[in-house]
Amino acid sequence: MSQKYEISEIAHPRYPWLHRIRALNDVRSGVVKGDLGGYVQNEDNLSQEGTCWIFDDAIACESSFVDQQATVSGTAVIRGSALVSGRAMIRQNAVVDDHAIVMDGFVKAQAHVAGNAAITASSVTGAWPHIEGFASVYGDVCGSVFVKGTAVILPGVAINNPTKDSFVVENNKVTVERNYFRLNGIPQNPNKQETKRNRRSEVER
């Protein structure tokens, strides 16, 4: 297997045991051969396979692992034994810690995902969670769920949203966001749906 990156000699200014990565070939959009990435402790922190990447001044260290299509950017930190995988995007100043797993979704701003938390996409709708603000997640969040502000999802708590609506957890309150048609119970025109299906079929042919 050919390596997609190497660990450079460029040490982190505060944590000298961490070093920047350097792309050895074109990895994904925006990452070409020779580009520098974020920091790792060793090659066990970032897979040599897939299009996963660590950007900017982000860090993956200790026994954490980033793989598949996942990205870590800004000054985000992945540490402990955390796993960031699938289509997960960890941005800005977010932290994924302990034994947490982020398989799909956005974790950004000052959010913290820790403990045995699991952030996953819904197997029904394909939608994934958004964890942002100063939110802390220690439980399981699945589907179109927005955890905002200073909300806390405690250990053992699971929020699984298999619907087309969005659940918003903020300030110890859960609300529901629906699009205009679902909010007002407006029936969809079956003829328009049929037209869309026919157009799709023509394209597929």
Side-chain angles (χ1 to χ4, degrees):
M1 178 188 71
S2 61
Q3 292 190 324
K4 73 180 183 187
Y5 74 90
E6 64 180 356
I7 299 177
S8 76
E9 70 288 352
I10 304 171
H12 192 283
R14 289 186 62 189
Y15 315 115
W17 59 92
L18 306 177
H19 290 79
R20 283 198 185 277
I21 56 174
R22 180 186 291 116
L24 295 175
N25 49 56
D26 295 353
V27 177
R28 60 185 296 141
S29 176
V31 181
V32 299
K33 182 178 180 179
D35 281 356
L36 291 172
Y39 296 91
V40 297
Q41 189 165 328
N42 54 58
E43 285 192 13
D44 293 333
N45 297 133
L46 177 67
S47 176
Q48 291 282 3
E49 300 179 352
T51 58
C52 54
W53 193 250
I54 301 170
F55 292 88
D56 309 320
D57 293 322
I59 293 171
C61 62
E62 300 172 8
S63 298
S64 67
F65 187 54
V66 179
D67 75 344
Q68 296 186 12
Q69 304 169 54
T71 57
V72 186
S73 61
T75 56
V77 176
I78 315 301
R79 60 185 297 272
S81 298
L83 171 64
V84 174
S85 187
R87 298 164 293 176
M89 288 171 273
I90 316 300
R91 298 178 173 175
Q92 297 168 345
N93 301 307
V95 176
V96 183
D97 208 349
D98 302 327
H99 301 283
I101 296 173
V102 183
M103 291 300 297
D104 288 295
F106 290 100
V107 182
K108 61 182 182 179
Q110 310 287 335
H112 202 132
V113 179
N116 293 307
I119 311 298
T120 57
S122 169
S123 60
V124 178
T125 65
W128 55 51
H130 290 64
I131 317 298
E132 55 191 69
F134 289 87
S136 296
V137 177
Y138 296 88
D140 297 347
V141 181
C142 177
S144 183
V145 181
F146 290 77
V147 185
K148 299 180 173 183
T150 56
V152 178
I153 307 299
L154 295 171
V157 174
I159 301 178
N160 180 7
N161 180 12
T163 76
K164 295 180 181 179
D165 299 321
S166 294
F167 297 168
V168 180
V169 184
E170 186 174 13
N171 299 326
N172 298 317
K173 183 174 68 174
V174 180
T175 57
V176 177
E177 290 185 357
R178 300 181 177 92
N179 67 35
Y180 178 80
F181 293 96
R182 289 177 62 78
L183 178 64
N184 294 284
I186 299 174
Q188 290 184 297
N189 187 331
N191 295 326
K192 286 187 178 180
Q193 287 184 321
E194 190 63 36
T195 300
K196 287 182 180 178
R197 288 196 198 100
N198 291 339
R199 286 177 183 167
R200 193 177 301 118
S201 298
E202 288 171 4
V203 170
E204 290 171 355
R205 286 197 291 270

